[in-house]
Amino acid sequence: MIRIFFSIAVVFLLFQACQTTQTDEDESLPVLGFPDIENGDTTEHRIPDFKFVNQDSQLVTNATFEDKIYVADFFFTACPTICPKVKKQMLRLYEKYADEADLMLLSHTVDVKRDTVGRLKEYATNLGVESRRWQFVTGEHDEIYDIADDYFSIARVDPNVAGGFDHSGRLILVDSQRRVRAFCDGTSAEAVDRFILDIDKLLEEEDG
């Protein structure tokens, strides 16, 4: 029941965020998410600490993205539906920002049983990408699925959908303070066009 309520809240939040992420040229991107309240102190929502393993068998943590911004998504290598479209757009970002050292990409597999390190390595190699810029990670089932909520994304096992996993095709933009700043539909080239403007704006903000 709690996860159902949270999912409804996330849908509402993303709808609201969708209305605000298209900022004027002189405005900064909003910080998305419900604030966290602890001991009477209110702080902006942030991606929590995590530990995953990438395609090179290396540990990936928040420290991997220290002082950088990154784009995150959720996928699985055998996905027969949206993943090829999303990865095409992620590859587009990888190539566009080839010379931008302050931007990285992070893809979490939702198929933690079959997407082994070796399989992720093969997938990354077929895309022709380097792990220093694009991390493909796996980990414990609960840790992957729980952190999807923190990204305001969706990841769940569902035998009734193609491939057996229901997951979002969203691309999520995270700043150097672990805050979600924008998102888009990763299956839509037009949406990614607008997302690129958000990335450029955040890079400018971080540089300033």
Side-chain angles (χ1 to χ4, degrees):
M1 181 63 70
I2 292 175
R3 289 187 68 86
I4 293 174
F5 173 79
F6 186 85
S7 296
I8 293 172
V10 166
V11 170
F12 175 77
L13 171 68
L14 291 178
F15 175 79
Q16 294 298 318
C18 188
Q19 312 307 312
T20 60
T21 49
Q22 299 304 313
T23 58
D24 293 334
E25 189 170 321
D26 295 331
E27 293 181 355
S28 61
L29 295 174
V31 175
L32 305 182
F34 300 112
D36 297 320
I37 302 175
E38 185 174 353
N39 298 324
D41 295 326
T42 302
T43 58
E44 296 164 321
H45 174 81
R46 284 176 166 80
I47 302 302
D49 291 346
F50 58 78
K51 290 182 180 180
F52 299 122
V53 178
N54 75 359
Q55 66 266 38
D56 294 329
S57 298
Q58 299 298 310
L59 189 65
V60 174
T61 70
N62 307 86
T64 306
F65 305 93
E66 186 174 3
D67 298 326
K68 299 182 184 297
I69 72 174
Y70 67 94
V71 176
D73 77 322
F74 292 81
F75 85 113
F76 61 108
T77 62
C79 176
T81 54
I82 64 174
C83 294
K85 295 179 181 179
V86 175
K87 283 298 170 279
K88 180 179 180 180
Q89 295 304 318
M90 286 284 275
L91 187 60
R92 177 184 169 196
L93 297 180
Y94 178 90
E95 293 171 346
K96 176 176 176 57
Y97 294 100
D99 298 323
E100 182 51 74
D102 292 330
L103 175 70
M104 296 179 67
L105 306 179
L106 173 61
S107 293
H108 311 72
T109 179
V110 298
D111 188 356
V112 298
K113 290 184 177 180
R114 289 179 292 185
D115 281 345
T116 61
V117 168
R119 195 163 183 173
L120 293 177
K121 180 67 173 180
E122 180 181 9
Y123 190 85
T125 299
N126 288 339
L127 286 175
V129 303
E130 300 177 355
S131 58
R132 66 181 180 85
R133 295 187 50 228
W134 190 348
Q135 308 278 343
F136 291 85
V137 297
T138 186
E140 295 296 327
H141 178 277
D142 288 348
E143 293 178 2
I144 292 279
Y145 281 65
D146 287 348
I147 206 168
D149 290 340
D150 291 296
Y151 284 106
F152 312 118
S153 192
I154 298 169
R156 61 175 65 93
V157 177
D158 187 346
N160 296 316
V161 300
F165 298 93
D166 181 15
H167 65 99
S168 170
R170 295 188 186 102
L171 306 185
I172 304 107
L173 179 62
V174 181
D175 69 17
S176 62
Q177 299 180 57
R178 307 188 190 183
R179 303 176 302 180
V180 176
R181 303 297 297 274
F183 69 93
C184 75
D185 176 2
T187 68
S188 167
E190 292 78 11
V192 176
D193 287 342
R194 296 189 293 272
F195 189 63
I196 286 172
L197 299 179
D198 289 338
I199 294 174
D200 289 342
K201 182 172 290 188
L202 184 56
L203 284 168
E204 183 177 353
E205 175 187 319
E206 296 269 345
D207 188 51

